[in-house]
Structure formats: structure tokens, C-alpha cells
């Protein structure tokens, strides 16, 4: 499984680094069954994050033909002022004027590919019109915005909607990465990485399976 972690100007570093490290460690633990790299729509470049003074270097272009898994982080910035240039929504919206949405659509249109998101990454997909009618989660402050785009917002730490797997707040990138390892390589690899990172996963991964709960508010939005 080849994974590409997408970077864009204003991205949240923890959203990207947490799944990167988990997947990279999974590749080591599995003898190379997983490879991972940082990518942008434009190709190799230094990418400024939304945290002042912190940038990461992408080494590849986002390639729908090479990537089996694409992980999309959210943006770092102001979560309350939607008009500020440092606003999360403004920074996510700026990606719509790049080549990123078309590349992400190409990934999602290819059978056998998985797109995963951390925090506001699901909002980026939603703003690009790529997950209408799909179940997804995001940061708790963005749930109403996610629901308003036509996605079905689910209040869970990780939501598995088949070829779309989404994580909630920033630190959920660890849980998302571990779940993807378990889903693709099995629980022993995921457990080994979990022990290495001294991190116990939080919450139950939401999937549209099993009995439907009655009389419990277990999801958000229209789910």
C-alpha cells in the first residue's frame, strides 16, 4: 500500500505528521508493506503550515495512479472568525483555486483507492463537492459546516464509509492511522505500532453496520 499525505499552504502540521508517522512505522513493522510520502498538487516544494514558522517539504506530486491511500489534513488557524485571513475555512477554501480538488476527485474515482481525512480535511473535500451524501466526521466545531455542505456529519472519533475514512479533531490522526493499519494489514501490525507509540486508540470506529440504535443520540447532523 502506497500512501500519500497531502500538504497545502496553511495545513495543520499535526494532522499530517501523526498519520505519516503511524503509517511509516507500520511499513517498518510489516517489512515494507506500507510506503508513505508527503505530496502536493504542484509537486515537490516547501509547504508553509498554518503554524507560524513551521513548514514541511513535500517530495512528490499527488498521483492518483500511484497512491493507494491519500490522507488529507485540515488547516491550522482561527476556528471562530470565518472572515479572517488566518481562518481555517478561508485556508481550506483557498485550496479550491488550486489543482488539488481535481486530483482528489481523480483518486476517489479510481476503484480500490481510499481517501482519508483528519480534522478539517473532510471539510476540504466537502467544500470541493466530493463527499455529498457521504458519512464523515471532522473537528467538533466544524460539524455544522460539514453537515451544511451535503455530507452526513457523524459524531465519532473515526468514521469508516468504505473508500472514505475520516477522523475528528487533530489528535485523531493517530487513531485514524492505526485503524487504517488494522484495516489493511491486520490487528497485529496495528497493535505493534500502538505499543511503540504508547498510545491507546480512543472510541469505536463508526461503520454503517449492525443494529440501528433506538432512542440514543449517537450521531450528529442528519445521520
Amino acid at each position: 500500500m502506497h500512501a500519500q499525505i497531502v500538504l497545502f499552504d496553511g495545513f495543520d502540521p499535526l494532522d499530517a505528521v501523526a498519520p505519516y508517522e503511524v503509517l511509516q512505522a507500520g511499513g517498518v513493522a510489516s517489512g515494507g508493506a506500507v510506503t508513505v510520502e508527503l505530496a502536493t498538487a504542484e509537486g515537490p516544494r516547501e509547504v508553509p503550515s498554518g503554524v507560524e514558522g513551521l513548514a514541511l517539504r513535500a517530495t512528490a506530486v499527488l498521483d492518483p495512479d500511484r497512491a493507494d491511500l491519500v490522507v488529507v489534513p485540515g488547516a491550522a488557524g482561527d476556528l471562530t472568525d470565518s472572515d479572517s485571513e488566518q481562518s481555517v475555512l478561508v485556508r481550506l477554501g483557498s485550496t479550491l483555486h488550486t489543482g488539488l480538488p481535481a486530483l482528489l476527485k481523480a483518486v476517489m474515482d479510481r476503484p480500490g483507492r481510499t481517501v482519508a481525512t483528519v480534522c478539517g480535511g473532510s471539510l476540504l473535500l466537502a467544500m470541493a463537492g466530493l463527499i455529498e451524501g457521504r458519512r464523515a466526521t471532522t473537528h467538533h466545531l466544524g460539524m455544522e459546516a460539514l453537515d451544511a455542505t451535503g455530507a452526513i456529519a457523524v459524531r465519532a472519533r473515526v468514521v469508516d464509509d468504505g473508500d472514505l475514512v475520516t477522523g475528528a479533531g487533530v489528535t485523531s490522526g493517530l487513531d485514524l492511522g492505526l485503524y487504517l493499519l488494522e484495516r489493511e494489514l491486520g490487528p497485529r501490525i496495528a497493535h505493534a505500532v500502538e505499543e511503540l507509540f504508547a498510545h491507546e486508540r480512543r472510541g469505536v470506529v463508526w461503520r454503517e453496520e449492525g443494529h440501528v440504535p433506538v432512542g440514543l443520540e449517537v450521531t450528529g447532523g442528519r445521520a
Side-chain angles (χ1 to χ4, degrees):
M1 179 175 71
H2 182 61
Q4 290 191 317
I5 314 289
V6 175
L7 301 182
F8 54 87
D9 291 1
F11 74 95
D12 188 296
L14 187 56
D15 287 3
V17 171
Y20 182 96
E21 285 207 48
V22 169
L23 294 171
Q24 192 273 339
V28 173
S30 62
V34 180
T35 53
V36 58
E37 62 187 350
L38 300 175
T40 73
E42 301 79 22
R45 68 181 179 95
E46 197 83 6
V47 188
S49 77
V51 176
E52 187 176 353
L54 180 57
L56 292 177
R57 177 159 185 79
T59 58
V61 63
L62 176 58
D63 188 344
D65 293 321
R66 288 183 60 232
D68 305 297
L69 167 67
V70 171
V71 181
V72 184
D78 194 331
L79 289 165
T80 56
D81 183 0
S82 59
D83 296 322
S84 164
E85 288 186 5
Q86 283 74 44
S87 162
V88 165
L89 291 178
V90 168
R91 284 174 167 165
L92 291 174
S94 68
T95 66
L96 303 182
H97 306 294
T98 71
L100 183 56
L103 287 171
L104 291 172
K105 183 179 187 304
V107 174
M108 298 183 80
D109 286 345
R110 281 166 169 72
R113 304 299 200 270
T114 297
V115 172
T117 68
V118 181
C119 201
S122 57
L123 282 169
L124 190 159
L125 295 183
M127 292 165 74
L130 298 177
I131 57 171
E132 184 174 354
R134 302 294 299 272
R135 285 173 167 78
T137 191
T138 189
H139 190 282
H140 66 275
L141 292 178
M143 293 295 282
E144 288 187 9
L146 180 62
D147 205 50
T149 64
I152 302 173
V154 179
R155 291 190 180 276
R157 183 75 167 170
V158 175
V159 173
D160 183 339
D161 194 39
D163 59 2
L164 174 67
V165 184
T166 55
V170 233
T171 58
S172 69
L174 290 169
D175 303 299
L176 177 87
L178 288 164
Y179 174 67
L180 290 169
L181 286 181
E182 180 179 4
R183 194 175 90 154
E184 302 300 325
L185 300 180
R188 288 188 290 183
I189 294 297
H191 181 258
V193 175
E194 189 176 81
E195 282 206 311
L196 175 67
F197 283 25
H199 172 75
E200 293 186 8
R201 281 179 280 175
R202 290 176 50 197
V204 174
V205 175
W206 189 95
R207 294 186 295 271
E208 195 173 13
E209 298 175 3
H211 294 283
V212 177
V214 178
L216 295 175
E217 186 64 28
V218 293
T219 61
R222 294 176 283 107

